[in-house]
Amino acid sequence: DIQMTQSPSFQSASVGDRITITCRASENIADYLNWYQQKPGKVPTLLIFGASSLHTGVPSRFRGSGSGTDFTLLITGLQPEDFATYYCHQTYNTPWTFGQGTRVEIK
Amino acid sequence: QVQLVESGGSLIKPGGSLRLSCAVSGFTFSGSYMGWLRQAPGKGPEWLSYLSNTGAIIYYADSVRGRFTISRDNAKNSLYLQMNSLGAEDTAIYYCVRTSQLRRWAFDYWGQGALVTVSS
């Protein structure tokens, strides 16, 4: 199985900050990497697919990059509604696997 | 308006069986690949299974292969998950999702979830 490792697991930030979340795959997954946001008690929602494509309706302050084994989710100008847990997810091979999550909290 | 509505979640004793349903509207169900995920309390999502639009292609995670069966009825715009031999480790919220090759198999639509609790 392909292991997905996110870092950091927890990040404290302020409104307006720029934050970076990284995701590393245990083997080459090309660009089969997606990012989701989950707010407490809510259903996860798709942010980025194919490593860098913004899903419909997602604000442009979210940006994904990377290919192969190393990927990044960048959020510029953090907004109050962005405080949530973020998951990366590979779909290169089954079983499709998720990272352990990065919780972004208000400093 | 896209809607995926799961039903069938409940409290079930270990060793029991349960069938989850997902009623879909707002997109062409018969043309869509669909799947099931779950999320245990305090944990990240776990992919369980997906099947092609015709049902001819099916994949399962090792954790549920042989115990869970995914199926669909395109005439009813519905997706199903038959779960047998349930154990405490199966306690989770179960989500019905749409996946698309156009989006690198990302899950672009999610249901609200069905809670399954396995406990004696």
Side-chain angles (χ1 to χ4, degrees), chain A:
Chain A
D1 298 2
I2 298 174
Q3 308 301 318
M4 306 301 293
T5 304
Q6 287 180 236
S7 60
S9 295
F10 173 84
Q11 181 151 16
S12 181
S14 300
V15 172
D17 282 356
R18 167 184 163 131
I19 67 167
T20 300
I21 299 170
T22 63
C23 179
R24 175 163 288 176
S26 59
E27 60 186 82
N28 185 350
I29 60 170
D31 65 350
Y32 285 78
L33 189 284
N34 312 303
W35 290 97
Y36 301 86
Q37 177 192 67
Q38 186 174 30
K39 298 179 183 179
K42 301 296 185 183
V43 179
T45 59
L46 178 63
L47 294 175
I48 303 279
F49 63 91
S52 60
S53 296
L54 211 60
H55 185 48
T56 306
V58 175
S60 58
R61 62 180 180 272
F62 292 92
R63 185 179 302 173
S65 63
S67 68
T69 60
D70 293 306
F71 302 86
T72 298
L73 175 66
L74 172 67
I75 310 174
T76 55
L78 205 61
Q79 296 300 300
E81 61 268 29
D82 300 336
F83 292 94
T85 300
Y86 295 85
Y87 295 98
C88 64
H89 163 233
Q90 70 81 20
T91 52
Y92 186 75
N93 271 338
T94 57
W96 294 340
T97 47
F98 288 82
Q100 82 280 11
T102 295
R103 195 167 105 211
V104 177
E105 289 202 343
I106 300 175
K107 185 181 290 184

Side-chain angles (χ1 to χ4, degrees), chain B:
Chain B
Q1 178 188 358
V2 171
Q3 283 196 307
L4 293 82
V5 181
E6 298 97 336
S7 59
S10 72
L11 172 64
I12 187 89
K13 287 182 167 47
S17 297
L18 207 56
R19 188 196 199 205
L20 301 181
S21 300
C22 174
V24 171
S25 60
F27 62 86
T28 306
F29 179 76
S30 61
S32 300
Y33 280 48
M34 300 294 296
W36 289 96
L37 307 178
R38 68 184 177 188
Q39 189 168 25
K43 303 290 187 183
E46 177 190 10
W47 168 76
L48 300 179
S49 179
Y50 84 81
L51 83 170
S52 63
N53 58 321
T54 63
I57 300 171
I58 294 177
Y59 284 94
Y60 294 101
D62 287 347
S63 59
V64 302
R65 185 179 294 113
R67 298 189 301 126
F68 290 12
T69 302
I70 192 171
S71 63
R72 65 191 298 158
D73 185 336
N74 285 345
K76 295 182 177 179
N77 281 5
S78 292
L79 180 72
Y80 306 101
L81 186 68
Q82 176 67 41
M83 304 185 294
N84 299 329
S85 303
L86 287 163
E89 69 278 9
D90 298 312
T91 293
I93 297 173
Y94 286 71
Y95 295 105
C96 163
V97 294
R98 188 183 84 160
T99 182
S100 168
Q101 187 176 17
L102 293 176
R103 293 181 176 78
R104 287 289 193 264
W105 303 115
F107 306 130
D108 56 358
Y109 295 129
W110 297 60
Q112 85 289 348
L115 178 61
V116 173
T117 303
V118 184
S119 175
S120 53

